[in-house]
Amino acid sequence: MPITIADVATRAGVSKTTVSRVLNGKGEVDGRTADRVRAVITDLGYVPSARAVGLARGRTRVVGMLVPALTWPWMGEVLQGAVDAVESEGYGLLLFTCNRGDESMRRFASQVSAKSFDGLLVVEPEGTLDYITALHERGLPVVLIDDRAHQPGFPSVRTTNSAGAAAAAAHLLALGRRRPLVVTGLSRFGCTRERLDGFAHGYADAGLPIDPALIVEGDFTFECGRFAVERLLAAGVPFDAVFAHNDLSAAGALQALRDAGLRVPEDVAVVGFDDLPLAGHTHPPLTSVRQPLREMGAAAARTLISHLAGTPLPDTPTIIPTSFTVRASTGTT
């Protein structure tokens, strides 16, 4: 049977509270009593629970992370960045998803009440921003990753969606592509609006406003990219490029073009967004706006841990810019 704090207290002839005070360095304990307790701890080989000691000290050295689901294509990159930063500082990570909706949130709330972690990283599950804001206002340090233009009243880390999309437009314009099909994400997301605005402004500034018939709302899935291409081809709407709001829907567009016997990039050039590992393995490899996902996760975690060490939380968002990776789906400029 494992040795408990009660065993130490009995052998040393003191209360569990006294043993706890010796372990945590809190409160007044007579020197000889403290020495006796430490000797018993050594004799019995008692190893205190790190979690119990942390709670007694008011800190768990654990960071919570709340995300919608792990099935999102880019979530693994964000999570890896956060884990790298958290572990490098000697913290643990407690991960929560919303796979089960309200049930998941109830379980998460119970861990908040139990003070199971010192601070929280969030990739916002839909409909939770008010609750997360309330937690922050009640004293829980929170840092948001991938702010979807909600501009919360607590720190966030985000990227340059509009500028990244504008870079995609500039690249396609340099290739002479004048009629791009745009496969957007869900319109309720701020990142979708930013990417559409940045891309559309790039074309408008070149005197080539995008035909509304070439803008198709998608949902970031492979199927939406494939469907958008199939739909326009069936309707006879001409296009010479595709800009998809994520790599997965761009991969769907590539599949539909290949099925239709069209050549990429000769007939249609294709650009995605995120630059996930997937982008290097499509056929042909996908040109993509690189979203700094791992860097965003790491930056958010470092911001939170620095705050736990005494640094004030920043008043403005941390913005890590996108970059652009050219591959065979567009050729070269």
Side-chain angles (χ1 to χ4, degrees), residues 73-137:
W74 51 263
M75 191 62 71
E77 289 292 302
V78 172
L79 181 58
Q80 188 62 60
V83 168
D84 290 344
V86 165
E87 290 185 346
S88 71
E89 297 295 329
Y91 277 70
L93 184 75
L94 188 58
L95 180 65
F96 303 91
T97 72
C98 288
N99 289 327
R100 297 181 178 273
D102 290 344
E103 178 185 346
S104 296
M105 289 305 297
R106 285 194 295 271
R107 291 180 178 177
F108 170 70
S110 71
Q111 294 300 306
V112 172
S113 298
K115 297 183 178 179
S116 298
F117 44 86
D118 299 332
L120 182 65
L121 302 171
V122 179
V123 178
E124 179 204 341
E126 285 193 73
T128 64
L129 186 59
D130 288 346
Y131 173 58
I132 300 303
T133 300
L135 293 179
H136 178 70
E137 290 173 347

Side-chain angles (χ1 to χ4, degrees), residues 177 240 257-258 260-270 284 329:
R177 308 297 171 139
D240 57 9
L257 292 166
R258 187 164 56 249
L262 293 170
R263 300 169 302 164
V264 177
E266 292 84 358
D267 299 321
V268 180
V270 180
S329 69

Side-chain angles (χ1 to χ4, degrees), residues 5 9 14-24 26 28-30 33-34 37:
I5 195 171
V14 298
S15 68
K16 290 190 292 184
T17 300
T18 297
V19 176
S20 179
R21 286 174 176 168
V22 172
L23 288 170
N24 299 306
K26 284 188 173 183
E28 294 289 335
V29 179
D30 175 75
T33 300
V37 170

Side-chain angles (χ1 to χ4, degrees), residues 71-74 126 182-189 191-192 195 216-228 244-250 252 274:
T71 54
W72 286 22
W74 51 263
E126 285 193 73
V182 184
V183 184
T184 76
L186 294 165
S187 61
R188 66 179 179 271
F189 287 165
C191 63
T192 295
R195 292 172 194 179
V216 178
E217 182 175 348
D219 58 2
F220 298 116
T221 63
F222 180 93
E223 289 73 18
C224 82
R226 182 171 60 186
F227 173 75
H245 279 195
N246 74 334
D247 290 344
L248 196 57
S249 54
D274 287 339

